[in-house]
Amino acid sequence: MSGPVQIPFKSFIHLKPGENTAIYLQIVFEFIKAIQTGFLPEGTKLPGTRILCRLLAVNRNTLIKAFQDLESQGWIETLPNKGTFILSQHKQKISEDFIISEKQNSSQNNIGFEFKRSTILENPTETSNLPFQFNDGMPDLRLVQNDILARLYVSKLKRQKTSKVYEQIQIRSHLNFKTHFSNYLNLTRGLRIATSNLLTTSSHEISLYLVTKVLISSGDKVVVASPGYYISNMTLTNTGAQIITIPVDQDGIDTNRLKEICEETKIRVLYLTSNYNYPTTISLSAKRRKELLELANQYGFVILEDDYDFDFHYDNNPILPLAAFDSNQKVVYIGSFGRSLPSGFSYGFVAAPPKFINELEKHQNILEPGIDVLKEQVLTEWINEGEVHRLSKKNKKIYKERRDYFVFLLNEKLKGKIKFKVPARGLAVWIEWLDKFNLITLQKECAKNDLFLPKTILYQTKDLTATRLGFGHLEKEEMEKAVAILCKSIYTISTK
């Protein structure tokens, strides 16, 4: 293979300093594209960072940050005293309407107009037909009580009158739903909100998108945890914000480091998953909760608190969100409701000061102009009759049993190979591997044995080899087989 310096990087690595996307992210996206399209085949040795900086005309710290991202995602591997190599092609079959190649002049790709293209929002999720799969902590849809919801929905539909009556009851019905829903949140999460403090959306992702669109402008400094939630990081980056990462330890996000950053620069938003940090499952300690609220008030930044998995806690005294103790109105609280309900019945929501909610509603009217009155009436009835509480209690019992059995299997089968803490909530366990090996190699070996590990649950840096293993969707027998395949694959790659 030719020496790495001879590779014509500038012919396929195109950086645009004038764009809103940070240069280091542009480098990451351009390298991934080059690997996927075959310009950088597997095993290619890259030149040293100083040489590559001269070739691409970028700052060395910027390039190092990009390489750290690429290595953590499994695209490159740095070997001590040997160099940096392309780890795997990750080559996929990509549809023609997705690839727009500058080298192709076929009529199907010449669409006749230019448009904005986002590399930030490329969907990182993968699908597989393998019989056994881990994910990042999804509920088991087999536990959903479709029959009860279906009967309620049909009964409401039959009672629907004319379209004129339907239009007349729409606003009243929505306000009734918000009243019961806000009361439910106050009861379960310790909030003190009225309907004017609440926005309901069709999904958690829509809630996050609306909040970031209104709250963050291009160039704003946004602090996130590292490791963090890849989906929210994509949404935040898409606003044009400058992302600043700070580490997470056993007590949650590092408040000392946050204070240092605040003294150095003006922070607009701190995004965090306080009750159940994604992906590490760590809960923010009481001391740091207090410190965060004090720092937000002192330095004037907004805390964007994402409580995506509150419904799945296994103790009698769940940790309440920061929003429950926010006396200075510095917290915007987003969450999900009904993750155990059928698709289409779950909700996202935002709890915040009324003026901010009013602004969100203006944008929501464009994205989601209609109100599904029937769905809201069904859920209102479920909340009223206590069915939501009963279903939640029943499911939590099932998921706690699954968590305990999954922890038992991990301790029995992988003792001495991993370290982890038993999560008090959520549907996933964060495990750190004690031996150093390449997670992409593990992913491939597991696939040979019918177990799928998506890239989004694999976390690898110079100092960390970890995996977020979701257990909520697995019954006991499925867990046993999945963990057995994982053990077999670990043994195989360790003996090669």
Side-chain angles (χ1 to χ4, degrees), residues 5-20:
V5 181
Q6 299 177 23
I7 299 173
F9 286 96
K10 297 204 74 173
S11 68
F12 53 82
I13 302 294
H14 303 292
L15 305 179
K16 299 176 181 178
E19 288 194 350
N20 290 332

Side-chain angles (χ1 to χ4, degrees), residues 94-346:
I94 306 175
S95 60
E96 290 179 345
D97 61 348
F98 180 77
I99 296 179
I100 302 180
S101 173
E102 293 180 0
K103 300 178 70 177
Q104 292 177 329
N105 293 315
S106 58
S107 59
Q108 65 206 31
N109 284 325
N110 295 328
I111 61 174
F113 57 88
E114 292 295 324
F115 57 94
K116 293 180 181 179
R117 303 168 187 171
S118 174
T119 51
I120 295 171
L121 298 178
E122 300 286 4
N123 190 351
T125 57
E126 305 165 282
T127 58
S128 172
N129 293 321
L130 293 177
F132 303 104
Q133 304 187 18
F134 279 116
N135 57 43
D136 66 348
M138 301 298 293
D140 191 345
L141 296 181
R142 292 170 295 188
L143 300 178
V144 170
Q145 297 184 1
N146 287 305
D147 54 339
I148 299 176
L149 276 170
R151 285 200 301 272
L152 272 173
Y153 199 85
V154 170
S155 68
K156 293 290 182 184
L157 192 62
K158 286 180 177 178
R159 290 200 296 267
Q160 178 186 339
K161 305 297 182 182
T162 65
S163 60
K164 182 178 179 181
V165 174
Y166 181 81
E167 291 170 1
Q168 290 173 347
I169 68 171
Q170 192 172 36
I171 296 177
R172 185 177 59 189
S173 178
H174 182 58
L175 286 175
N176 186 44
F177 169 68
K178 287 183 68 175
T179 298
H180 285 88
F181 190 41
S182 59
N183 290 339
Y184 173 81
L185 294 176
N186 290 337
L187 177 65
T188 58
R189 310 191 188 207
L191 302 181
R192 291 163 292 186
I193 60 172
T195 56
S196 60
N197 298 104
L198 180 65
L199 177 82
T200 58
T201 68
S202 60
S203 70
H204 170 269
E205 291 76 18
I206 289 290
S207 297
L208 180 61
Y209 176 79
L210 289 170
V211 169
T212 58
K213 185 174 181 61
V214 174
L215 195 60
I216 301 171
S217 300
S218 180
D220 282 346
K221 308 287 196 309
V222 176
V223 176
V224 300
S226 179
Y229 193 13
Y230 66 94
I231 290 180
S232 62
N233 286 348
M234 288 167 58
T235 305
L236 292 165
T237 303
N238 191 55
T239 65
Q242 180 181 338
I243 305 299
I244 302 173
T245 60
I246 57 177
V248 174
D249 60 25
Q250 69 276 5
D251 292 317
I253 198 165
D254 187 340
T255 50
N256 289 329
R257 178 59 187 139
L258 176 61
K259 185 173 182 179
E260 291 174 1
I261 294 171
C262 289
E263 290 175 348
E264 295 168 359
T265 187
K266 177 67 175 176
I267 299 301
R268 173 59 174 160
V269 170
L270 165 67
Y271 170 86
L272 78 161
T273 48
S274 61
N275 281 339
Y276 185 64
N277 178 259
Y278 187 103
T280 65
T281 75
I282 296 294
S283 292
L284 192 66
S285 68
K287 179 176 179 290
R288 292 195 179 174
R289 288 169 178 273
K290 181 181 177 182
E291 290 172 346
L292 279 183
L293 291 171
E294 290 173 350
L295 288 172
N297 192 45
Q298 180 181 353
Y299 292 100
F301 61 80
V302 179
I303 298 176
L304 178 48
E305 183 179 20
D306 189 341
D307 202 359
Y308 67 97
D309 239 357
F310 185 91
D311 289 339
F312 304 108
H313 58 82
Y314 307 118
D315 45 29
N316 294 325
N317 299 302
I319 299 173
L320 297 180
L322 286 171
F325 309 99
D326 176 31
S327 59
N328 296 306
Q329 296 192 323
K330 293 294 186 182
V331 178
V332 174
Y333 179 64
I334 67 173
S336 58
F337 166 77
R339 290 187 66 203
S340 293
L341 298 179
S343 177
F345 278 90
S346 58

Side-chain angles (χ1 to χ4, degrees), residues 369-381:
I371 297 172
D372 191 336
V373 174
L374 294 178
K375 183 175 79 170
E376 291 189 344
Q377 288 178 342
V378 168
L379 291 178
T380 298
E381 195 163 321

Side-chain angles (χ1 to χ4, degrees), residues 11 28 30 87 128 130 137 198 309 327 389 395 397 414 493:
S11 68
V28 170
E30 289 295 299
L87 187 61
S128 172
L130 293 177
L198 180 65
D309 239 357
S327 59
H389 289 283
N395 284 346
K397 181 181 178 182
L414 290 169
I493 64 175

